[in-house]
Amino acid sequence: MAVFEVTVVSEDGGAIKNLSPASMSMMMWKGESSGPRPPQSAATLKCSKPKDTEKLDCFYFRDKIIPERVGKYTIQFVLCVEKNKCLWSHQYVINVVPNDPVKLMPDSQPPTPVVSNIHAITSRSLVESLPLKIMDEYDNPAGTDLDGKVVVSIKSSNSSEKDLPLFDGKTKTMQFTLSEGEAQISNLAVMENCPGTDGTEYILHFKPVIPAFKPETPLRPFELPFLFYNDSKNQQQMVALTKKKDRLSQSLIAYRSLFDTNSQLISELKDQLQDSTNKETHLKSELRKSHINITQLGTMEAIDGLIREKGAEQERIRRQPRRTCMIPDIFKSNPDVLGKVAHLAQVEDNDAARVISWHLSGDMDCVVSLTTAAARQIYDDTQGRQQVMPLDTVFWRSTNRPLPHVRNGLSSFPPVGNPIFVRDLLIFPKHAESCQIVFGNLLGDTILVDNLDAANHYRKGVVQNKMQCPTLLTRQGERVRSNGKFGGLQNKAPSIEKLRGQVFGAPFPEQYYVLHTQIDLLQQYRVAMAKCRQVREDYEVHMQYMKSPEMVEKEDEMKMQEVQLKDIEAKLGVTPGKKPDSSARKRATEPAQPSGVIAKRARRGERTSPSEGTASPGMVTRNRMS
């Protein structure tokens, strides 16, 4: 199975986030395109839900089945944010090559031979010319590097039959050369006056023998039944019946394939309808939880209108003035750099933001990197003027401890001033796990309380219980150090204006994120509603088609042909034909290499080879769209 990872990048080269997965599609079609857009026959595939370990700013296309027929296929990705506004990727060509060799078979099923052991060679001829090839499970030639031989023998369809016919030359077996996975079987006939039971069905057994190739499972041989008679009169009578039997067999293969395909399609449509209905119902429930009136969303136009309304409100909130960090961050483009401390967190409350920013004023400009090598590079590039903190050298401190006044789940004294760990007031827009490590080390167990009296009261209570008290900050801007010292200008935060933008920014109001969730749910609901309607329409149309006079006539014709075939097999005295397998039916009814169709049957272990700079399925391909 192939996995494709697609990123949408902006003009500055950064990945664009918060795009709906429903707006991204993958197009695939047979051959190479002659233009910048896919042909109408291209298959459309939707992206998969990202796994927990995968990035949220990428779209993933996994479990997309590779076409069964070998050849070149073209892939193109498209992002449609609005109906008539689409962003297209470059086109990528993949070359689908055969899977492992599994069987020997012809390109098409030959007619059933009817022979007798009389003098005339034409009456004894089993095969005049029959090309056989080594194929994979999906009937693609797969043995171009295999050489050997094909050994032909005669078997009995009845295990008790002992008098087997012999080949011309009084031999039990014949051998033909197998070169580059192909063998040409020619001039195969039974011997004049050879043994054999009159009116019996025998089987030609074509076995590939390739000494240099030793697969875990032996290659499946090809078998061709034939009818044997002791005189030409019987033979001539049965040739006509055999030809009719072959025609009926091929016709029934086509009919059964048609009805099997339709039954499978009905089953798939039922499953799709159930899944899409469940998805729509689930999204309705989620929309109700988000306080959206479902009764007003009966049409696509109504949904689009509400999405526009919510988007306009969200944009209005986004444009409202709010506290922002003014410290420049010129290192954020480095993938091994998280950013400066001041940009890694946000604080909602203004008073808390002022005192926390001042308390960390010596660290706000520090650049946090993932590796020591990246930190050293920044240090060298700035001649040592830039503070750096590599995460791979930071000791991780657990942040699960309770406040100092809580012991064994109980308060050792009644605190005042609403004490809270400062780290619990920080909001991390990105890299939350890494940021917890950073601020866990910068802040430790620093606590915020309402005012200085509350801070001193808290410190006194902790110390009297023989516990170490961490640094205390107050919402009024005071600081009580961990050694108990407070007072003086060095322990008093200036006004937020005097910090000159060296402060933690404020997050968007809660309503902004509520609107974001509502818009995302509405977009998902729109896609689910459209899909549900389309699947329901497809199901109803197909059910009407199955009940149409045309299909009823075909079903009656198939039943009549089954009766005729059974009657002919009884006259011929042959083993009743088994229903052909799906691959045989497929060969009888489908073109050799369907264009623009993605095979529905799941399979594993496909081998492909890269073509024109693209990767074969099974490895992650990063495709950038700009």
Side-chain angles (χ1 to χ4, degrees), residues 311-363:
E313 185 178 354
Q314 188 183 39
E315 180 63 18
R316 180 184 59 78
I317 294 174
R318 193 186 69 82
R319 292 178 179 276
Q320 288 178 350
R322 61 190 178 96
R323 178 180 6 100
T324 57
C325 178
M326 304 301 292
I327 298 176
D329 191 357
I330 60 174
F331 306 101
K332 63 180 180 180
S333 59
N334 189 329
D336 288 330
V337 171
L338 296 184
K340 290 189 175 181
V341 168
H343 295 278
L344 296 181
Q346 296 174 339
V347 181
E348 185 174 359
D349 179 73
N350 283 333
D351 291 334
R354 167 198 166 205
V355 69
I356 297 170
S357 301
W358 163 75
H359 177 65
L360 292 178
S361 58
D363 301 310

Short mmCIF file of all heavy atoms in Angstrom, two decimals, residues 311-363:
data_model
loop_
_atom_site.label_atom_id
_atom_site.label_comp_id
_atom_site.label_asym_id
_atom_site.label_seq_id
_atom_site.Cartn_x
_atom_site.Cartn_y
_atom_site.Cartn_z
N GLY A 311 -17.21 32.56 9.87
CA GLY A 311 -15.88 32.97 9.45
C GLY A 311 -15.69 34.47 9.58
O GLY A 311 -14.61 34.94 10.00
N ALA A 312 -16.71 35.24 9.24
CA ALA A 312 -16.62 36.70 9.36
C ALA A 312 -16.48 37.11 10.82
O ALA A 312 -15.71 38.02 11.16
CB ALA A 312 -17.86 37.34 8.74
N GLU A 313 -17.23 36.43 11.70
CA GLU A 313 -17.13 36.75 13.12
C GLU A 313 -15.76 36.38 13.67
O GLU A 313 -15.17 37.13 14.47
CB GLU A 313 -18.22 35.99 13.89
CG GLU A 313 -18.28 36.34 15.38
CD GLU A 313 -19.38 35.61 16.11
OE1 GLU A 313 -20.18 34.89 15.45
OE2 GLU A 313 -19.43 35.73 17.36
N GLN A 314 -15.24 35.25 13.22
CA GLN A 314 -13.91 34.85 13.67
C GLN A 314 -12.84 35.84 13.19
O GLN A 314 -11.92 36.19 13.94
CB GLN A 314 -13.60 33.44 13.15
CG GLN A 314 -12.33 32.84 13.73
CD GLN A 314 -12.03 31.48 13.14
OE1 GLN A 314 -12.22 31.26 11.95
NE2 GLN A 314 -11.56 30.57 13.96
N GLU A 315 -12.98 36.31 11.95
CA GLU A 315 -12.02 37.27 11.43
C GLU A 315 -12.10 38.60 12.19
O GLU A 315 -11.08 39.24 12.43
CB GLU A 315 -12.30 37.50 9.93
CG GLU A 315 -11.38 38.49 9.25
CD GLU A 315 -9.93 38.06 9.24
OE1 GLU A 315 -9.66 36.85 9.46
OE2 GLU A 315 -9.05 38.92 9.02
N ARG A 316 -13.32 39.00 12.59
CA ARG A 316 -13.47 40.23 13.38
C ARG A 316 -12.74 40.11 14.71
O ARG A 316 -12.04 41.04 15.15
CB ARG A 316 -14.96 40.50 13.62
CG ARG A 316 -15.24 41.76 14.44
CD ARG A 316 -16.72 41.91 14.71
NE ARG A 316 -17.26 40.76 15.43
CZ ARG A 316 -17.10 40.58 16.76
NH1 ARG A 316 -16.42 41.45 17.47
NH2 ARG A 316 -17.64 39.51 17.33
N ILE A 317 -12.87 38.95 15.35
CA ILE A 317 -12.17 38.74 16.62
C ILE A 317 -10.67 38.73 16.41
O ILE A 317 -9.90 39.29 17.21
CB ILE A 317 -12.63 37.41 17.27
CG1 ILE A 317 -14.11 37.50 17.66
CG2 ILE A 317 -11.79 37.06 18.48
CD1 ILE A 317 -14.69 36.20 18.17
N ARG A 318 -10.23 38.12 15.31
CA ARG A 318 -8.79 38.04 15.04
C ARG A 318 -8.17 39.42 14.86
O ARG A 318 -7.00 39.64 15.23
CB ARG A 318 -8.55 37.19 13.79
CG ARG A 318 -7.10 36.78 13.58
CD ARG A 318 -6.91 36.07 12.26
NE ARG A 318 -7.09 36.97 11.14
CZ ARG A 318 -6.13 37.79 10.69
NH1 ARG A 318 -4.95 37.84 11.28
NH2 ARG A 318 -6.36 38.59 9.66
N ARG A 319 -8.95 40.35 14.32
CA ARG A 319 -8.42 41.68 14.07
C ARG A 319 -8.46 42.59 15.29
O ARG A 319 -7.91 43.70 15.26
CB ARG A 319 -9.20 42.33 12.92
CG ARG A 319 -8.98 41.67 11.57
CD ARG A 319 -9.81 42.32 10.48
NE ARG A 319 -9.59 41.73 9.18
CZ ARG A 319 -8.59 42.05 8.36
NH1 ARG A 319 -7.73 43.01 8.72
NH2 ARG A 319 -8.45 41.46 7.20
N GLN A 320 -9.13 42.15 16.33
CA GLN A 320 -9.19 42.99 17.54
C GLN A 320 -7.80 43.10 18.17
O GLN A 320 -7.02 42.15 18.15
CB GLN A 320 -10.16 42.38 18.55
CG GLN A 320 -11.63 42.51 18.16
CD GLN A 320 -12.56 41.85 19.16
OE1 GLN A 320 -12.10 41.13 20.07
NE2 GLN A 320 -13.85 42.06 19.02
N PRO A 321 -7.46 44.28 18.74
CA PRO A 321 -6.14 44.43 19.36
C PRO A 321 -5.98 43.52 20.58
O PRO A 321 -6.92 43.34 21.34
CB PRO A 321 -6.11 45.91 19.76
CG PRO A 321 -7.54 46.32 19.84
CD PRO A 321 -8.27 45.52 18.83
N ARG A 322 -4.82 42.95 20.72
CA ARG A 322 -4.51 42.12 21.88
C ARG A 322 -3.01 42.20 22.16
O ARG A 322 -2.23 42.64 21.31
CB ARG A 322 -4.94 40.68 21.66
CG ARG A 322 -4.27 39.99 20.50
CD ARG A 322 -4.92 38.65 20.18
NE ARG A 322 -4.29 38.02 19.02
CZ ARG A 322 -3.32 37.11 19.06
NH1 ARG A 322 -2.88 36.71 20.26
NH2 ARG A 322 -2.80 36.62 17.97
N ARG A 323 -2.65 41.79 23.35
CA ARG A 323 -1.25 41.85 23.76
C ARG A 323 -0.40 40.93 22.90
O ARG A 323 -0.72 39.76 22.71
CB ARG A 323 -1.15 41.45 25.24
CG ARG A 323 0.25 41.43 25.78
CD ARG A 323 0.34 41.04 27.26
NE ARG A 323 -0.91 40.63 27.84
CZ ARG A 323 -1.25 39.36 28.02
NH1 ARG A 323 -0.46 38.40 27.61
NH2 ARG A 323 -2.40 39.06 28.61
N THR A 324 0.70 41.45 22.35
CA THR A 324 1.59 40.64 21.52
C THR A 324 3.03 40.83 21.95
O THR A 324 3.40 41.88 22.50
CB THR A 324 1.46 41.04 20.03
OG1 THR A 324 1.74 42.44 19.88
CG2 THR A 324 0.07 40.73 19.50
N CYS A 325 3.83 39.84 21.70
CA CYS A 325 5.26 39.92 22.01
C CYS A 325 5.97 40.63 20.87
O CYS A 325 5.79 40.28 19.70
CB CYS A 325 5.81 38.50 22.21
SG CYS A 325 7.59 38.47 22.54
N MET A 326 6.80 41.60 21.21
CA MET A 326 7.49 42.40 20.20
C MET A 326 8.94 41.99 20.01
O MET A 326 9.68 42.62 19.26
CB MET A 326 7.43 43.89 20.60
CG MET A 326 6.02 44.42 20.80
SD MET A 326 4.99 44.26 19.33
CE MET A 326 5.80 45.43 18.25
N ILE A 327 9.37 40.92 20.68
CA ILE A 327 10.76 40.47 20.54
C ILE A 327 10.93 39.80 19.18
O ILE A 327 10.18 38.87 18.86
CB ILE A 327 11.14 39.50 21.67
CG1 ILE A 327 11.05 40.20 23.03
CG2 ILE A 327 12.54 38.94 21.46
CD1 ILE A 327 11.33 39.28 24.20
N PRO A 328 11.85 40.23 18.33
CA PRO A 328 12.04 39.58 17.02
C PRO A 328 12.59 38.17 17.19
O PRO A 328 13.33 37.88 18.12
CB PRO A 328 13.04 40.50 16.32
CG PRO A 328 13.77 41.20 17.42
CD PRO A 328 12.79 41.36 18.54
N ASP A 329 12.18 37.30 16.28
CA ASP A 329 12.65 35.91 16.32
C ASP A 329 13.12 35.53 14.92
O ASP A 329 12.34 35.10 14.08
CB ASP A 329 11.52 34.99 16.78
CG ASP A 329 12.03 33.58 17.10
OD1 ASP A 329 13.23 33.33 16.89
OD2 ASP A 329 11.23 32.75 17.55
N ILE A 330 14.42 35.70 14.67
CA ILE A 330 14.96 35.50 13.33
C ILE A 330 15.43 34.06 13.11
O ILE A 330 15.92 33.72 12.04
CB ILE A 330 16.15 36.45 13.07
CG1 ILE A 330 17.27 36.19 14.09
CG2 ILE A 330 15.69 37.89 13.13
CD1 ILE A 330 18.54 36.98 13.82
N PHE A 331 15.27 33.22 14.13
CA PHE A 331 15.80 31.85 14.02
C PHE A 331 14.69 30.81 13.83
O PHE A 331 14.96 29.62 13.77
CB PHE A 331 16.60 31.49 15.28
CG PHE A 331 17.69 32.47 15.60
CD1 PHE A 331 17.51 33.43 16.60
CD2 PHE A 331 18.89 32.45 14.91
CE1 PHE A 331 18.52 34.33 16.90
CE2 PHE A 331 19.90 33.35 15.21
CZ PHE A 331 19.71 34.29 16.20
N LYS A 332 13.42 31.23 13.74
CA LYS A 332 12.31 30.28 13.73
C LYS A 332 12.25 29.43 12.46
O LYS A 332 11.61 28.38 12.43
CB LYS A 332 10.99 31.01 13.91
CG LYS A 332 10.66 31.98 12.78
CD LYS A 332 9.33 32.67 13.05
CE LYS A 332 8.98 33.65 11.92
NZ LYS A 332 7.69 34.33 12.17
N SER A 333 12.94 29.88 11.38
CA SER A 333 12.90 29.11 10.14
C SER A 333 13.75 27.84 10.21
O SER A 333 13.60 26.94 9.39
CB SER A 333 13.37 29.97 8.97
OG SER A 333 14.70 30.44 9.19
N ASN A 334 14.64 27.76 11.20
CA ASN A 334 15.48 26.57 11.39
C ASN A 334 14.62 25.44 11.94
O ASN A 334 14.01 25.59 13.00
CB ASN A 334 16.63 26.90 12.35
CG ASN A 334 17.66 25.78 12.42
OD1 ASN A 334 17.34 24.61 12.27
ND2 ASN A 334 18.91 26.16 12.67
N PRO A 335 14.55 24.28 11.27
CA PRO A 335 13.69 23.20 11.75
C PRO A 335 14.12 22.63 13.10
O PRO A 335 13.32 21.98 13.78
CB PRO A 335 13.80 22.14 10.65
CG PRO A 335 15.08 22.45 9.93
CD PRO A 335 15.24 23.94 10.01
N ASP A 336 15.37 22.86 13.50
CA ASP A 336 15.86 22.37 14.80
C ASP A 336 15.72 23.41 15.91
O ASP A 336 16.25 23.23 17.00
CB ASP A 336 17.33 21.96 14.69
CG ASP A 336 17.50 20.67 13.89
OD1 ASP A 336 16.57 19.84 13.92
OD2 ASP A 336 18.54 20.52 13.23
N VAL A 337 14.98 24.49 15.63
CA VAL A 337 14.78 25.55 16.61
C VAL A 337 13.30 25.69 16.91
O VAL A 337 12.47 25.81 15.99
CB VAL A 337 15.35 26.90 16.09
CG1 VAL A 337 14.95 28.04 17.03
CG2 VAL A 337 16.87 26.81 15.97
N LEU A 338 12.94 25.67 18.21
CA LEU A 338 11.55 25.89 18.60
C LEU A 338 11.19 27.37 18.56
O LEU A 338 10.06 27.73 18.25
CB LEU A 338 11.30 25.34 20.01
CG LEU A 338 11.47 23.83 20.20
CD1 LEU A 338 11.10 23.45 21.64
CD2 LEU A 338 10.61 23.06 19.23
N GLY A 339 12.14 28.22 18.90
CA GLY A 339 11.90 29.66 18.93
C GLY A 339 12.43 30.28 20.21
O GLY A 339 13.02 29.60 21.06
N LYS A 340 12.21 31.57 20.36
CA LYS A 340 12.62 32.25 21.58
C LYS A 340 11.59 31.98 22.68
O LYS A 340 10.40 31.78 22.41
CB LYS A 340 12.77 33.74 21.34
CG LYS A 340 13.98 34.09 20.46
CD LYS A 340 14.25 35.58 20.41
CE LYS A 340 15.53 35.85 19.62
NZ LYS A 340 15.86 37.30 19.56
N VAL A 341 12.06 32.00 23.91
CA VAL A 341 11.21 31.70 25.07
C VAL A 341 9.95 32.56 25.04
O VAL A 341 8.84 32.08 25.31
CB VAL A 341 11.99 31.89 26.38
CG1 VAL A 341 11.04 31.86 27.58
CG2 VAL A 341 13.06 30.82 26.52
N ALA A 342 10.09 33.83 24.71
CA ALA A 342 8.96 34.76 24.74
C ALA A 342 7.86 34.36 23.77
O ALA A 342 6.69 34.71 23.97
CB ALA A 342 9.44 36.17 24.42
N HIS A 343 8.20 33.63 22.71
CA HIS A 343 7.22 33.26 21.68
C HIS A 343 6.63 31.87 21.90
O HIS A 343 5.70 31.48 21.19
CB HIS A 343 7.87 33.31 20.30
CG HIS A 343 8.29 34.68 19.88
ND1 HIS A 343 7.41 35.59 19.33
CD2 HIS A 343 9.49 35.31 19.95
CE1 HIS A 343 8.07 36.72 19.06
NE2 HIS A 343 9.33 36.57 19.43
N LEU A 344 7.15 31.13 22.86
CA LEU A 344 6.71 29.75 23.03
C LEU A 344 5.45 29.62 23.86
O LEU A 344 4.80 28.58 23.83
CB LEU A 344 7.83 28.91 23.69
CG LEU A 344 9.12 28.77 22.87
CD1 LEU A 344 10.11 27.90 23.63
CD2 LEU A 344 8.83 28.18 21.49
N ALA A 345 5.10 30.66 24.61
CA ALA A 345 3.94 30.56 25.50
C ALA A 345 3.08 31.82 25.39
O ALA A 345 3.54 32.88 24.95
CB ALA A 345 4.38 30.36 26.95
N GLN A 346 1.82 31.67 25.81
CA GLN A 346 0.89 32.78 25.91
C GLN A 346 0.27 32.77 27.30
O GLN A 346 0.17 31.72 27.94
CB GLN A 346 -0.21 32.66 24.85
CG GLN A 346 0.30 32.76 23.42
CD GLN A 346 -0.80 32.50 22.40
OE1 GLN A 346 -1.82 31.87 22.71
NE2 GLN A 346 -0.61 32.96 21.18
N VAL A 347 -0.13 33.96 27.76
CA VAL A 347 -0.76 34.10 29.08
C VAL A 347 -2.02 34.94 28.90
O VAL A 347 -1.98 36.03 28.32
CB VAL A 347 0.18 34.77 30.10
CG1 VAL A 347 -0.50 34.87 31.46
CG2 VAL A 347 1.49 33.98 30.23
N GLU A 348 -3.12 34.45 29.40
CA GLU A 348 -4.40 35.13 29.17
C GLU A 348 -4.56 36.38 30.02
O GLU A 348 -4.93 37.45 29.52
CB GLU A 348 -5.54 34.14 29.44
CG GLU A 348 -6.91 34.71 29.10
CD GLU A 348 -8.01 33.67 29.25
OE1 GLU A 348 -7.69 32.52 29.59
OE2 GLU A 348 -9.18 34.02 29.01
N ASP A 349 -4.29 36.30 31.32
CA ASP A 349 -4.53 37.41 32.24
C ASP A 349 -3.41 38.45 32.12
O ASP A 349 -2.22 38.10 32.15
CB ASP A 349 -4.61 36.87 33.67
CG ASP A 349 -4.84 37.97 34.68
OD1 ASP A 349 -5.97 38.51 34.74
OD2 ASP A 349 -3.88 38.31 35.41
N ASN A 350 -3.77 39.73 32.03
CA ASN A 350 -2.78 40.78 31.87
C ASN A 350 -1.85 40.90 33.06
O ASN A 350 -0.64 41.08 32.92
CB ASN A 350 -3.47 42.13 31.62
CG ASN A 350 -3.98 42.26 30.19
OD1 ASN A 350 -3.45 41.64 29.28
ND2 ASN A 350 -5.03 43.04 30.01
N ASP A 351 -2.41 40.87 34.30
CA ASP A 351 -1.57 41.00 35.49
C ASP A 351 -0.59 39.85 35.59
O ASP A 351 0.60 40.05 35.92
CB ASP A 351 -2.46 41.05 36.74
CG ASP A 351 -3.28 42.33 36.82
OD1 ASP A 351 -2.84 43.36 36.24
OD2 ASP A 351 -4.36 42.32 37.45
N ALA A 352 -1.06 38.63 35.32
CA ALA A 352 -0.17 37.48 35.37
C ALA A 352 0.89 37.57 34.28
O ALA A 352 2.07 37.28 34.51
CB ALA A 352 -0.97 36.19 35.21
N ALA A 353 0.51 38.01 33.09
CA ALA A 353 1.47 38.14 31.99
C ALA A 353 2.56 39.14 32.33
O ALA A 353 3.74 38.92 32.02
CB ALA A 353 0.74 38.56 30.72
N ARG A 354 2.17 40.24 32.98
CA ARG A 354 3.15 41.28 33.33
C ARG A 354 4.19 40.74 34.31
O ARG A 354 5.41 40.84 34.07
CB ARG A 354 2.40 42.45 33.95
CG ARG A 354 3.29 43.46 34.66
CD ARG A 354 2.48 44.32 35.60
NE ARG A 354 3.28 45.09 36.53
CZ ARG A 354 2.86 45.52 37.70
NH1 ARG A 354 1.63 45.25 38.10
NH2 ARG A 354 3.66 46.22 38.48
N VAL A 355 3.77 40.10 35.40
CA VAL A 355 4.73 39.69 36.42
C VAL A 355 5.54 38.48 35.97
O VAL A 355 6.73 38.38 36.28
CB VAL A 355 4.01 39.41 37.77
CG1 VAL A 355 3.13 38.17 37.69
CG2 VAL A 355 5.01 39.30 38.91
N ILE A 356 4.92 37.56 35.21
CA ILE A 356 5.67 36.38 34.74
C ILE A 356 6.70 36.81 33.70
O ILE A 356 7.85 36.34 33.72
CB ILE A 356 4.70 35.33 34.15
CG1 ILE A 356 3.74 34.81 35.23
CG2 ILE A 356 5.47 34.16 33.56
CD1 ILE A 356 2.61 33.95 34.68
N SER A 357 6.33 37.72 32.79
CA SER A 357 7.28 38.20 31.77
C SER A 357 8.45 38.91 32.43
O SER A 357 9.62 38.72 32.02
CB SER A 357 6.56 39.14 30.79
OG SER A 357 5.49 38.48 30.14
N TRP A 358 8.16 39.72 33.43
CA TRP A 358 9.25 40.41 34.14
C TRP A 358 10.13 39.42 34.89
O TRP A 358 11.37 39.54 34.88
CB TRP A 358 8.62 41.43 35.12
CG TRP A 358 9.59 41.91 36.18
CD1 TRP A 358 10.61 42.80 36.02
CD2 TRP A 358 9.62 41.51 37.55
NE1 TRP A 358 11.27 42.99 37.21
CE2 TRP A 358 10.68 42.20 38.18
CE3 TRP A 358 8.84 40.65 38.32
CZ2 TRP A 358 10.99 42.04 39.52
CZ3 TRP A 358 9.14 40.50 39.65
CH2 TRP A 358 10.19 41.17 40.25
N HIS A 359 9.51 38.44 35.55
CA HIS A 359 10.27 37.44 36.31
C HIS A 359 11.23 36.68 35.40
O HIS A 359 12.35 36.33 35.80
CB HIS A 359 9.30 36.47 36.99
CG HIS A 359 9.97 35.36 37.74
ND1 HIS A 359 10.76 35.58 38.85
CD2 HIS A 359 9.96 34.01 37.54
CE1 HIS A 359 11.21 34.43 39.31
NE2 HIS A 359 10.73 33.45 38.53
N LEU A 360 10.82 36.43 34.14
CA LEU A 360 11.66 35.70 33.19
C LEU A 360 12.36 36.64 32.21
O LEU A 360 12.80 36.20 31.14
CB LEU A 360 10.81 34.70 32.39
CG LEU A 360 10.23 33.52 33.17
CD1 LEU A 360 9.37 32.66 32.26
CD2 LEU A 360 11.34 32.67 33.79
N SER A 361 12.46 37.91 32.58
CA SER A 361 13.02 38.90 31.64
C SER A 361 14.42 38.52 31.16
O SER A 361 14.78 38.81 30.01
CB SER A 361 13.04 40.28 32.28
OG SER A 361 13.81 40.25 33.48
N GLY A 362 15.18 37.86 31.99
CA GLY A 362 16.53 37.46 31.57
C GLY A 362 16.54 36.28 30.62
O GLY A 362 17.57 35.99 30.01
N ASP A 363 15.40 35.59 30.49
CA ASP A 363 15.34 34.40 29.64
C ASP A 363 14.46 34.60 28.41
O ASP A 363 14.44 33.74 27.53
CB ASP A 363 14.77 33.22 30.43
CG ASP A 363 15.61 32.88 31.66
OD1 ASP A 363 16.84 32.75 31.50
OD2 ASP A 363 15.04 32.76 32.75
#
